[in-house]
Amino acid sequence: MMFTEENKNLLLEALSYIKRFNDKIVVIKYGGAAMIDEQLKHSFAQDIVLLQSLGMLPVIVHGGGPEVSKAMEQLGQEVSFIDGLRVTSSENLKVAEMVLSGTINKEIITHLNTFGGKAVGVSGKDGLLIEARKKQHAGGVDLGYVGEIESVNPELLLVLLKQGFLPVVSPIGLGKDGVTYNINADTTASRIAVALGAYKIIFMTDVDGVLEDGKLRGQLSVVEAEKLIKKNVISGGMAPKVSAGLFCVKNGVESAQIINGTDPHSVIAELFTDKGIGTQIVL
Ligand SMILES: Nc1ncnc2c1ncn2[C@@H]1O[C@H](COP(=O)(O)OP(=O)(O)OP(=O)(O)O)[C@@H](O)[C@H]1O
Ligand SMILES: [Mg+2]
């Protein structure tokens, strides 16, 4: 193979990032929408194991929207969303927890560990990682067993990271009242990132980033993002994602990026090139 000037520059660029990321916690929100085929799931797992071998401390928080909806439909349950947030009945909750903490979480663990990772699946219930309460939604709409996070206790994650394990978190929380809550995975990832003092958070989804009139916004400031949410340009599942990114940059996470996880190895392109990809949320 010819080793071109361009190859060399790219390699040097990538190498310069490795030192910067050493021992830094990077939270990666792996959206259900990006988990589309086996090939992609494998390349994701490969990338994450590679990041860890380079000295980075990745923490995965996953969603699972499409798969949760599919399971509910198969069981004849109603699926509904309000403002990008899932409405969860007590019947829905059982399915959501089963699919998120069971099927999806273990599938991710399987892939990571097949590629040589030491991944450990935890739900927000484990180690009391996520204490939640019922989420109150604007306009008095009842979202059912959808929770908002009261506090994050990151000790378990820190223990795992210290011992070289790779935590994979499902977005389920536990209330003081013993009630289980389904929590938006973007919100969960952002709260965990802040609690861990993460250096960076990456949201992997199924679009290139925040789109405005069909065009990608490479960067979005807090003020602009809040305006676009208000104008409903950012809606559906993108709204909690952008809000989660805003929460991170306002609370000390240096970088928050929304990228297209359906693009193979996008996480590597984002982390190891100057240009990066997707939408960066800045203060
Ligand atoms: N302005 C916008 N730019 C880009 N996407 C937008 C915008 N407004 C709404 N969206 C929608 O947000 C979706 C991404 O959020 P969604 O909740 O569906 O996926 P996810 O968060 O990656 O997965 P999961 O919810 O399973 O974790 C996009 O597919 C798109 O339909
Ligand atoms: Mg979502």
Side-chain angles (χ1 to χ4, degrees):
M1 188 192 85
M2 263 278 285
F3 205 60
T4 64
E5 226 22 60
E6 201 186 345
N7 287 151
K8 273 187 238 165
N9 288 337
L10 210 56
L11 190 59
L12 288 170
E13 198 176 304
L15 288 170
S16 76
Y17 282 93
I18 292 176
K19 208 168 152 200
R20 212 175 309 176
F21 290 138
N22 191 43
D23 260 343
K24 295 258 170 50
I25 296 175
V26 177
V27 173
I28 296 157
K29 155 63 191 334
Y30 188 34
M35 303 170 186
I36 48 176
D37 61 39
E38 282 307 294
Q39 193 56 43
L40 212 52
K41 289 175 188 175
H42 288 165
S43 62
F44 169 79
Q46 241 175 326
D47 290 353
I48 301 300
V49 172
L50 176 69
L51 296 183
Q52 199 185 25
S53 72
L54 292 174
M56 210 179 282
L57 303 174
V59 174
I60 314 286
V61 178
H62 64 84
E67 209 157 326
V68 170
S69 298
K70 201 170 103 195
M72 287 176 183
E73 276 159 6
Q74 280 169 346
L75 291 165
Q77 298 183 1
E78 196 188 332
V79 174
S80 81
F81 286 88
I82 294 171
D83 301 331
L85 297 169
R86 182 185 295 280
V87 180
T88 306
S89 69
S90 66
E91 295 302 290
N92 287 161
L93 178 68
K94 290 198 187 97
V95 178
E97 184 173 25
M98 179 176 81
V99 173
L100 290 168
S101 300
T103 318
I104 296 178
N105 189 278
K106 289 323 168 220
E107 188 185 48
I108 297 171
I109 299 292
T110 299
H111 289 138
L112 287 166
N113 290 356
T114 307
F115 283 105
K118 279 205 300 178
V120 175
V122 297
S123 104
K125 286 183 174 176
D126 295 303
L128 218 57
L129 175 60
I130 298 164
E131 285 190 86
R133 57 170 173 251
K134 187 175 164 71
K135 184 176 171 65
Q136 302 301 328
H137 193 60
V141 183
D142 189 355
L143 296 172
Y145 291 89
V146 171
E148 62 187 13
I149 296 176
E150 203 164 87
S151 62
V152 174
N153 307 305
E155 291 82 4
L156 173 62
L157 299 183
L158 292 168
V159 167
L160 291 173
L161 290 172
K162 200 162 169 232
Q163 299 297 325
F165 291 101
L166 209 166
V168 180
V169 181
S170 65
I172 295 287
L174 183 61
K176 285 206 170 67
D177 45 7
V179 175
T180 301
Y181 290 102
N182 176 20
I183 304 171
N184 176 276
D186 298 316
T187 313
T188 304
S190 69
R191 292 291 299 266
I192 287 178
V194 170
L196 286 173
Y199 175 70
K200 191 173 174 97
I201 185 163
I202 298 174
F203 299 91
M204 298 179 72
T205 186
D206 64 344
V207 284
D208 285 343
V210 174
L211 307 172
E212 188 180 6
D213 301 324
K215 267 184 56 190
L216 175 69
R217 292 290 309 255
Q219 213 177 50
L220 212 52
S221 71
V222 171
V223 178
E224 288 172 304
E226 282 167 354
K227 212 167 21 185
L228 292 181
I229 291 176
K230 216 179 246 162
K231 285 202 308 195
N232 229 24
V233 171
I234 295 173
S235 61
M238 193 50 77
K241 207 178 307 299
V242 171
S243 300
L246 292 176
F247 178 79
C248 287
V249 295
K250 284 179 185 171
N251 290 285
V253 179
E254 220 156 288
S255 150
Q257 197 87 19
I258 299 171
I259 68 170
N260 195 340
T262 68
D263 193 3
H265 307 295
S266 56
V267 72
I268 299 293
E270 159 50 26
L271 284 166
F272 296 104
T273 61
D274 293 338
K275 218 165 147 268
I277 52 168
T279 301
Q280 186 187 16
I281 299 182
V282 294
L283 270 181

